[in-house]
Amino acid sequence: MCRNIRPLNNFAPPATDEEVRAAALQYVRKIGGSAKPSSANEAAYELAVDVIAQASRELIDSLVTSAPPKDREVEASKARARAAQRYAAVAS
């Protein structure tokens, strides 16, 4: 899975449409094999992003969980700590 696609379910506040679209764009770029499609393929990429973003939104909105919502700042802090540890191990 593309490392730039982050989990979007069960956050407070909920994932925005922009976050869902960004994840869809990363997915389409990954499976399409190109970050910037040619002009001949641009319409196909945009359509795919729209369809995947809509399906992703529907999925996120329909998921049910008994876990309390995660705090975005706490999760971001944990991710930064993991990255610092990972990159410190690489640098040494």
Side-chain angles (χ1 to χ4, degrees):
M1 184 160 123
C2 186
R3 293 177 190 223
N4 294 338
I5 300 175
R6 293 175 176 81
L8 298 176
N9 184 43
N10 198 27
F11 278 97
T16 65
D17 289 339
E18 291 80 24
E19 290 172 311
V20 173
R21 184 166 177 76
L25 177 60
Q26 287 297 319
Y27 177 76
V28 170
R29 286 177 174 172
K30 183 72 169 182
I31 64 169
S34 175
K36 178 74 172 122
S38 68
S39 57
N41 292 325
E42 195 169 348
Y45 266 64
E46 283 300 314
L47 177 60
V49 170
D50 291 343
V51 170
I52 292 169
Q54 179 62 34
S56 298
R57 171 53 66 194
E58 290 173 12
L59 171 65
I60 291 167
D61 290 346
S62 66
L63 293 175
V64 177
T65 181
S66 60
K70 295 174 271 188
D71 182 278
R72 289 179 184 278
E73 291 304 317
V74 170
E75 295 300 317
S77 176
K78 288 179 188 177
R80 285 190 294 272
R82 286 190 305 269
Q85 185 177 30
R86 180 173 54 244
Y87 294 125
V90 171
S92 50

